[in-house]
Amino acid sequence: MAITAPQRRSSALTRNRLPSFAPWAALVVALIVGAAISSLIGFNPFGWGIFAAITFTIVFVAWSAAVEGPRKAKDKLATCLVAAAFLIALLPLISVIWTVLVEGLKGLLTPGFLGTSMNGVSGIQDNQSVNEGTKVLGGIYHSLMGTLLITLWATIISVPIGLLTSIYLVEYGNDGRLSRAITFFVDVMTGIPSIVAGLFAAAFFATILGPGTKTGFVAAVALSVLMIPVVVRSSEEMLRIVPNELREASYALGVRKWRTILMIVIPTAISGIASGVTLAIARVIGETAPILVTAGFATKINLNVFADWMSSLPTFIYTQILNPTSPSNPDPSTQRAWGAALVLIILVMLLNLAARLIARVFAPKTGR
């Protein structure tokens, strides 16, 4: 039977090309060979994955070189390397999330963990929970509220300052000496170690209110020192990408500059600004050193950021691991620390979701 023209064209197009099942076949071979090699040196899932990835790359690229030629083989080698780099970068994240979930759920699901504090909890209760099998007492309510209040006040301080600074740099600075100086010092502040910000706030309030002043507000000031550069840089970049045509159209209608910035520029860039603020909050919500220096550590509930020591989730985790409530039985303290770490990650996730919601609500509406 004679071959028709469409069949000849189809044959020409598919000639010297790997079949569609080639990646799956190479993967099966790689898994078998990887398991065999890993078994020779002591089988473990991580080694199996490494050897399987190397084998898959060799088999797939060699197969492509034999069928498709060196040009296609180089392309597939580059694809394999990019995919491997992505997986290597993803593995630590997956490992951290999995470990925190497995260990943290034990503490998070403990009755009263979110609604009680560590006030009155001592090594006696921890020893009883280990020896008698009773539930672990003590929770993170005081630290959770401390984290929320300190971060809230740090945001209240830093967001207006950072946003107004970025507005000046973009709308009024005109690349003058003052704007260049502000940009330079903002870049310097971005790299300041967190402990330096804590020492600055502690020294500043010690000068004003006396030595040993430790409150939640002092910690908020220390965190705002870390937040302001992030807010400034992210907001500045978002404001700069707002098209000048929007500003010029507003000026042409006789709208004043401040109103143009308030009603046109900021709403247009609100999505990126919200993301920058969220990034700044996520940057400081897990800080431990500046809060230890400025707010100390407390085991009782304190909702007044202007008086007395105040605990936070990072300092709670730090003290529970470094100084267990019962040194002879540290497991309850470790359980509380992992539970607090899981709550901290959940808070960061909720902040990201809130930023996306704010950006969607306040972003300018588009349409025909």
Side-chain angles (χ1 to χ4, degrees):
M1 183 176 66
I3 300 176
T4 62
Q7 289 176 329
R8 285 196 297 270
R9 285 196 297 269
S10 176
S11 177
L13 289 174
T14 57
R15 189 182 300 121
N16 297 331
R17 294 180 60 179
L18 289 178
S20 59
F21 62 84
W24 301 105
L27 179 61
V28 171
V29 173
L31 291 175
I32 296 173
V33 175
I37 297 175
S38 180
S39 300
L40 295 177
I41 60 176
F43 182 83
N44 66 82
F46 181 76
W48 181 25
I50 293 296
F51 289 123
I54 296 174
T55 305
F56 174 81
T57 302
I58 295 174
V59 172
F60 193 49
V61 173
W63 192 356
S64 176
V67 176
E68 300 176 320
R71 185 169 175 270
K72 290 286 187 179
K74 291 178 182 178
D75 178 71
K76 286 182 170 51
L77 176 61
T79 303
C80 291
L81 293 178
V82 170
F86 170 74
L87 292 175
I88 291 173
L90 198 62
L91 281 176
L93 176 62
I94 296 175
S95 176
V96 168
I97 293 176
W98 176 257
T99 303
V100 175
L101 277 175
V102 171
E103 300 293 338
L105 284 176
K106 300 176 184 177
L108 186 60
L109 297 178
T110 302
F113 182 71
L114 296 176
T116 59
S117 68
M118 291 296 293
N119 191 25
V121 178
S122 64
I124 298 176
Q125 287 82 3
D126 282 0
N127 291 334
Q128 289 178 348
S129 66
V130 173
N131 298 328
E132 301 176 9
T134 59
K135 74 171 186 176
V136 176
L137 300 179
I140 62 168
Y141 179 77
H142 61 303
S143 298
L144 178 60
M145 296 306 298
T147 295
L148 295 177
L149 291 172
I150 292 173
T151 306
L152 174 63
W153 277 97
T155 304
I156 292 173
I157 296 170
S158 59
V159 170
I161 296 175
L163 184 56
L164 291 174
T165 302
S166 62
I167 290 174
Y168 172 79
L169 293 175
V170 176
E171 304 293 338
Y172 296 95
N174 297 323
D175 201 27
R177 291 184 178 180
L178 180 58
S179 63
R180 290 198 298 270
I182 292 174
T183 301
F184 172 75
F185 284 112
V186 166
D187 291 339
V188 172
M189 289 177 62
T190 304
I192 289 179
S194 60
I195 186 63
V196 175
L199 291 174
F200 161 75
F204 178 75
F205 281 92
T207 304
I208 298 176
L209 302 177
T213 302
K214 290 187 177 182
T215 63
F217 186 74
V218 181
V221 172
L223 295 184
S224 67
V225 174
L226 301 174
M227 288 182 65
I228 288 173
V230 181
V231 175
V232 171
R233 297 303 292 172
S234 59
S235 301
E236 181 186 1
E237 293 301 323
M238 291 301 104
L239 293 175
R240 288 191 185 279
I241 65 176
V242 175
N244 284 327
E245 290 79 5
L246 295 177
R247 298 180 177 90
E248 294 169 357
S250 179
Y251 298 151
L253 295 174
V255 181
R256 298 193 178 191
K257 188 168 187 176
W258 70 268
R259 193 170 182 84
T260 298
I261 296 171
L262 185 63
M263 304 302 295
I264 302 297
V265 177
I266 293 179
T268 303
I270 189 64
S271 177
I273 293 174
S275 299
V277 172
T278 304
L279 180 64
I281 295 174
R283 158 81 169 83
V284 302
I285 198 172
E287 290 292 347
T288 306
I291 297 181
L292 281 175
V293 173
T294 54
F297 176 78
T299 58
K300 62 180 181 179
I301 299 172
N302 176 23
L303 303 181
N304 186 2
V305 296
F306 299 101
D308 297 332
W309 289 21
M310 181 175 283
S311 179
S312 68
L313 288 175
T315 57
F316 178 85
I317 297 169
Y318 175 79
T319 53
Q320 287 293 307
I321 294 297
L322 189 65
N323 298 311
T325 308
S326 174
S328 59
N329 290 309
D331 289 344
S333 295
T334 303
Q335 178 177 310
R336 297 190 200 100
W338 279 112
L342 178 58
V343 172
L344 194 59
I345 291 178
I346 293 174
L347 284 178
V348 175
M349 181 189 68
L350 293 177
L351 285 172
N352 280 276
L353 293 177
R356 292 177 179 271
L357 179 61
I358 292 172
R360 178 173 296 181
V361 170
F362 292 98
K365 302 299 183 293
T366 59
R368 292 185 165 180

